């Protein structure tokens, strides 16, 4: 009995400890006075005393709030929130209250620091590079801006990508770490050409000076000791991210202040009194410059419910619309949903632990086919409305799901034919095939020799409006990702693909236009091209299937109007002639009847 009581006591103690020690508190920032710590937890901003205890929830909005930044007087906290669809900068009093929106651009803005006088906020966003900037235009390579808190106009400080900031004594120059590529910010042990380094921006000279030259990562620099030294995070010495200290004049002679192993230290900030604050394995630590790490024991008490809210979908993707425009299927968190064009009523079609994707409607909107990763491979499933009274999946009361194939062969990316009688799909990532919906008979369209892919998305294809052809991407004498656009017969009798682009670079997304008389596609043949790397500039091109379509396309507005008038006149003449012929035939029939 005593043993049982001991076990129960230990169990209760464990539960209490878990409640009092939440994990994955992030973006921690210590106040300038070193008495409080702000951090983000489950999409809200909290504040706790530097010695730990019960955290105070500062924001309670359903949006995602993160990246808190302290004003220098410790009275205000700035943070980023996606309350309006994209991340904007907000401020809130440290004692609580209504948050004030500071930025209003449609880009996503993240606060970096308050100005020295606390009247403005520095923030980063991808809005517009300076005309003289030579960086590749890419969303992660943001610029640094400054905006006044009293609804002032934003001003670009530098087009360089600034990550983290620590202001110098002049209130305008600062330490930061750079970013020159798209490498994931959470990647560990990176020694590539885009590994981050510590830099210094001289505001008076408008010059950037590199401080560290470590082949690995150096991040989150912070001034200390009257701005003569700095602390920063580094993966030097072949280890994980740890805190280092060095003089600005000799950064390579750095002293390691923390010695955590296996996992990285994140989110380093420093108070005016030199107290360090950082994160390790989702928990917050403080440390004096000459001391040892001290975990901040934090208790969070709130009424947060992890159950997803009804009607809250998050970010939808892979949308498809019925030809009449009345039904919209989309994917959220690996499940297929259907909604209407006019109302918000939405029906969840799939309820599985596996991921569903690539929904496609039949032309009449009564069938919905999608790819599912059940049983460890991608297969095709069809949902149908069981009751004749149900005309729309969003209002469907009985929905039947059928697995289209019983074998374990991978099939993806289904598309119904224009008449809805057949279903095309990609098999084993390289064969285009077609199934008769009624008989289940399958015919092969391509032999797989001109296409192969690393994933189920690689081959682009589309039925022609008359259902007799496919346009698709193909690989000829080159290797992926370089591709061309071609057409192939949908009959299955001729597997030859007719290459219509012979591009030499990357061609994708072919689509039939002009009632099947032309195909549009995108290509980087004329823009910035991709050579064994990523990033290119695409243009849209059109290829014509016959001379008549090409000639019509080249007509100007006046010529096209005259042609339409001539064609209308010819139709009327032909209709009149047909009518006269019918009258003559009737007269002959009447005469024959009289003779009889």
């Amino acid at each position: 009995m005593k043993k049982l009581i001991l076990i129960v006591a230990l169990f209760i103690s464990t539960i209490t400890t878990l409640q009092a020690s939440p994990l994955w508190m992030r973006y921690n920032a210590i106040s300038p006075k070193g008495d409080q710590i702000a951090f983000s937890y489950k999409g809200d901003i909290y504040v706790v005393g530097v010695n730990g205890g019960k955290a105070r929830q500062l924001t309670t909005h359903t949006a995602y709030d993160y990246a808190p930044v302290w004003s220098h007087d410790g009275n205000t906290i700035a943070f980023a929130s996606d309350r309006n669809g994209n991340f904007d900068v907000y401020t809130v009093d440290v004692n609580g209250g209504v948050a004030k929106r500071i930025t209003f651009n449609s880009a996503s803005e993240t606060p970096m620091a308050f100005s020295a006088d606390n009247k403005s906020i520095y923030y980063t966003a991808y809005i517009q590079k300076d005309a003289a900037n030579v960086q590749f235009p890419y969303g992660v390579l943001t610029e640094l801006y400054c905006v006044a808190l009293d609804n002032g106009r934003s001003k670009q400080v530098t087009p360089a990508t600034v990550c983290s900031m620590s202001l110098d004594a002049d209130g305008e120059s600062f330490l930061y770490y750079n970013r020159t590529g798209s490498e994931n910010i959470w990647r560990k042990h990176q020694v590539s050409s885009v590994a981050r380094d510590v830099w210094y921006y001289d505001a008076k000279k408008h010059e950037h000076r590199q401080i560290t030259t470590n082949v690995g990562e150096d991040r989150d620099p912070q001034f200390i000791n009257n701005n003569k030294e700095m602390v920063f995070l580094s993966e030097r010495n072949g280890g994980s991210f740890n805190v280092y200290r060095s003089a600005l004049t000799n950064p390579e002679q750095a002293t390691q202040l923390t010695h955590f192993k296996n996992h990285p230290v994140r989110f380093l900030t420093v108070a005016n009194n030199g107290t360090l604050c950082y994160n390790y394995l989702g928990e917050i630590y403080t440390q004096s410059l000459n001391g040892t790490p001290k975990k901040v024991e934090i208790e969070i008490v709130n009424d947060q419910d992890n159950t997803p809210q009804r009607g809250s979908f998050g970010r939808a993707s892979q949308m498809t619309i019925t030809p009449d425009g009345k039904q919209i299927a989309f994917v959220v968190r690996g499940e297929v949903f259907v909604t209407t064009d006019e109302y918000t009523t939405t029906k969840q079609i799939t309820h599985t632990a596996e991921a569903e994707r690539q929904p496609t409607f039949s032309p009449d909107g009564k069938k919905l086919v999608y790819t599912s990763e059940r049983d460890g491979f991608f297969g095709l499933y069809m949902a149908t409305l069981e009751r004749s009274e149900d005309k729309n999946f969003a209002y469907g009361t009985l929905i039947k799901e059928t697995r289209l194939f019983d074998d374990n062969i991978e099939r993806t990316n289904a598309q119904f034919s224009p008449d809805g009688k057949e279903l095309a799909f990609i098999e084993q990532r390289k064969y285009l095939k077609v199934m008769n919906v009624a008989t289940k008979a399958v015919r092969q369209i391509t032999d797989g020799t001109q296409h192969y892919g690393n994933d189920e998305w690689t081959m682009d294809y589309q039925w022609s409006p008359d259902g007799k052809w496919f346009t698709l991407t193909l690989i000829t004498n080159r290797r992926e990702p370089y591709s061309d656009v071609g057409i192939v017969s949908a009959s299955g009798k001729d597997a030859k693909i007719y290459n219509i682009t012979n591009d030499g670079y990357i061609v994708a997304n072919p689509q039939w236009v002009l009632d099947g008389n032309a195909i549009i596609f995108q290509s980087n043949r004329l823009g910035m091209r991709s050579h064994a790397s990523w990033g290119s500039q695409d243009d849209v091109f059109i290829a014509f299937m016959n001379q008549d379509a090409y000639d019509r396309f080249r007509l100007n507005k006046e010529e096209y109007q005259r042609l339409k008038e001539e064609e209308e006149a010819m139709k009327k003449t032909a209709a009149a002639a047909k009518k006269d012929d019918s009258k003559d035939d009737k007269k002959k029939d009447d005469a024959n009847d009289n003779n009889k």
Side-chain angles (χ1 to χ4, degrees):
M1 183 67 181
K2 291 182 179 180
K3 184 176 181 181
L4 177 61
I5 294 174
L6 179 61
I7 292 174
V8 172
L10 287 172
F11 179 70
I12 294 174
S13 175
T14 301
I15 294 176
T16 304
T17 302
L18 289 174
Q19 290 175 337
S21 301
L23 289 176
W24 303 115
M25 299 168 286
R26 308 176 75 200
Y27 300 98
N28 48 271
I30 194 167
S31 63
K33 296 179 181 179
D35 59 340
Q36 299 184 86
I37 300 170
F39 61 92
S40 175
Y41 179 70
K42 291 187 176 181
D44 285 310
I45 305 299
Y46 289 78
V47 175
V48 69
V50 72
N51 295 318
K54 185 178 294 185
R56 178 166 47 89
Q57 189 169 351
L58 203 57
T59 66
T60 58
H61 201 280
T62 55
Y64 185 81
D65 302 336
Y66 83 112
V69 173
W70 289 88
S71 61
H72 298 287
D73 58 13
N75 295 327
T76 307
I77 290 178
F79 61 95
S81 178
D82 61 353
R83 304 178 184 197
N84 295 281
N86 59 284
F87 285 103
D88 292 296
V89 175
Y90 287 77
T91 59
V92 65
D93 190 279
V94 71
N95 294 314
V98 178
K100 178 184 177 182
R101 186 179 179 185
I102 304 301
T103 62
F104 296 84
N105 196 284
S106 58
S108 290
E109 297 94 31
T110 306
M112 288 285 105
F114 279 80
S115 62
D117 59 7
N118 294 316
K119 294 182 179 180
S120 302
I121 293 179
Y122 292 96
Y123 68 90
T124 61
Y126 179 67
I127 298 176
Q128 185 174 359
K129 294 293 184 185
D130 181 87
N133 188 272
V134 296
Q135 266 189 318
F136 184 81
Y138 193 56
V140 300
L141 303 180
T142 57
E143 307 89 41
L144 181 68
Y145 297 86
C146 188
V147 61
L149 295 179
D150 57 356
N151 298 318
R153 183 175 181 178
S154 293
K155 175 185 177 181
Q156 187 177 106
V157 178
T158 173
T161 301
V162 172
C163 303
S164 179
M165 277 184 66
S166 184
L167 287 175
D168 205 347
D170 64 2
E172 294 184 331
S173 303
F174 52 84
L175 283 174
Y176 70 97
Y177 76 89
N178 68 337
R179 186 174 187 180
T180 58
S182 61
E183 195 64 60
N184 192 300
I185 62 172
W186 308 114
R187 179 180 174 182
K188 297 178 288 186
H189 310 300
Q190 182 195 174
V191 291
S192 72
S193 59
V194 296
R196 283 76 163 179
D197 292 296
V198 175
W199 287 68
Y200 180 82
Y201 175 68
D202 189 320
K204 185 177 181 179
K205 297 179 179 179
H206 301 286
E207 292 180 353
H208 298 264
R209 184 174 79 251
Q210 187 171 352
I211 303 298
T212 65
T213 57
N214 172 38
V215 295
E217 294 260 305
D218 294 326
R219 300 189 189 181
D220 292 358
Q222 299 285 309
F223 278 117
I224 59 170
N225 191 19
N226 296 321
N227 298 11
K228 297 177 182 178
E229 294 182 281
M230 68 174 178
V231 289
F232 59 98
L233 298 179
S234 180
E235 286 186 315
R236 58 188 60 203
N237 301 326
S240 298
F241 275 112
N242 271 289
V243 181
Y244 286 77
R245 176 181 182 175
S246 76
L248 292 177
T249 56
N250 192 10
E252 299 312 313
Q253 294 296 320
T255 303
Q256 187 171 343
L257 300 184
T258 64
H259 299 271
F260 292 96
K261 299 184 181 299
N262 301 326
H263 302 287
V265 173
R266 304 282 191 187
F267 314 121
L268 173 64
T269 59
V270 182
N272 292 338
N273 61 10
T275 301
L276 308 177
C277 180
Y278 50 83
N279 194 292
Y280 179 73
L281 278 181
E283 296 184 293
I284 298 173
Y285 289 76
T286 59
Q287 179 179 340
S288 65
L289 289 172
N290 298 315
T292 57
K294 177 185 177 182
K295 185 166 71 172
V296 182
E297 299 291 349
I298 299 174
E299 181 181 1
I300 294 179
V301 179
N302 56 33
D303 62 349
Q304 287 186 352
D305 185 359
N306 292 327
T307 304
Q309 295 184 359
R310 181 176 176 84
S312 178
F313 290 101
R315 299 185 183 275
S317 63
Q318 302 177 40
M319 291 180 287
T320 184
I321 305 174
T322 52
D324 62 7
K326 296 184 180 297
Q327 298 184 76
I328 305 169
F330 58 93
V331 175
V332 174
R333 298 187 295 271
E335 302 287 2
V336 177
F337 295 80
V338 175
T339 189
T340 66
D341 63 326
E342 188 173 359
Y343 304 105
T344 59
T345 299
T346 303
K347 181 81 169 183
Q348 184 172 347
I349 305 301
T350 63
H351 301 76
T352 70
E354 296 83 8
E356 275 83 37
R357 60 186 70 185
Q358 302 170 332
T360 182
F361 280 111
S362 60
D364 60 7
K366 295 181 179 180
K367 300 181 182 68
L368 181 65
V369 173
Y370 41 85
T371 302
S372 180
E373 200 175 2
R374 304 174 201 178
D375 301 318
F377 66 95
F378 291 112
L380 298 178
Y381 290 77
M382 179 185 292
T384 56
L385 295 168
E386 282 288 271
R387 301 175 71 244
S388 59
E389 296 89 338
D390 294 333
K391 308 298 182 183
N392 189 311
F393 275 97
Y395 303 108
T397 53
L398 290 176
I399 298 175
K400 179 182 178 181
E401 184 185 69
T402 305
R403 183 178 175 181
L404 295 182
F405 297 91
D406 293 329
D407 53 34
N408 293 338
I409 297 176
E410 181 180 275
R411 297 179 180 89
T412 61
N413 199 11
Q415 292 185 29
F416 278 96
S417 61
D419 60 9
K421 296 180 179 179
E422 295 186 313
L423 184 74
F425 56 89
I426 305 299
E427 185 172 292
Q428 296 180 330
R429 308 190 182 192
K430 62 181 179 179
Y431 302 106
L432 177 61
K433 293 189 175 184
V434 172
M435 181 190 75
N436 185 289
V437 175
T439 66
K440 309 300 181 185
V442 175
R443 67 179 182 273
Q444 186 167 320
I445 305 301
T446 64
D447 60 13
T449 60
Q450 290 183 273
H451 189 88
Y452 53 89
N454 295 325
D455 57 54
E456 73 280 9
W457 299 95
T458 309
M459 184 189 297
D460 293 325
Y461 76 93
Q462 188 184 59
W463 288 89
S464 64
D466 60 7
K468 295 181 179 180
W469 294 87
F470 287 102
T471 181
L472 75 171
T473 57
L474 69 145
I475 297 172
T476 53
N477 61 334
R478 296 173 298 278
R479 67 180 300 275
E480 192 183 14
Y482 304 109
S483 57
D484 284 299
V485 166
I487 59 173
V488 63
S489 172
S491 67
K493 298 177 181 178
D494 181 8
K496 180 180 179 181
I497 302 175
Y498 297 89
N499 192 333
I500 64 174
T501 57
N502 290 299
D503 194 277
Y505 282 92
I506 299 176
V507 183
N509 198 26
Q511 299 179 46
W512 294 93
V513 293
L514 302 179
D515 296 323
N517 291 304
I519 295 171
I520 59 172
F521 56 92
Q522 65 188 58
S523 171
N524 63 349
R525 65 167 77 173
L526 300 180
M528 183 179 293
R529 299 160 184 160
S530 177
H531 292 273
S533 184
W534 296 270
S536 59
Q537 294 172 325
D538 293 328
D539 294 294
V540 177
F541 295 80
I542 186 169
F544 298 92
M545 299 296 100
N546 52 69
Q547 186 68 41
D548 182 63
Y550 178 64
D551 292 339
R552 285 173 174 270
F553 188 82
R554 297 179 64 198
L555 297 176
N556 60 35
K557 185 175 181 180
E558 179 184 6
E559 293 169 337
Y560 184 72
Q561 184 61 35
R562 288 179 58 193
L563 177 63
K564 295 293 288 184
E565 292 173 355
E566 292 175 3
E567 291 177 341
E568 289 296 326
M570 293 174 63
K571 287 181 181 179
K572 291 180 180 179
T573 300
K578 186 176 181 180
K579 187 175 181 181
D580 292 339
D581 290 341
S582 298
K583 289 181 179 179
D584 292 340
D585 291 340
K586 189 175 185 305
K587 289 180 180 179
K588 291 179 180 179
D589 292 340
D590 292 342
N592 291 333
D593 291 341
N594 292 332
N595 291 332
K596 292 179 180 178

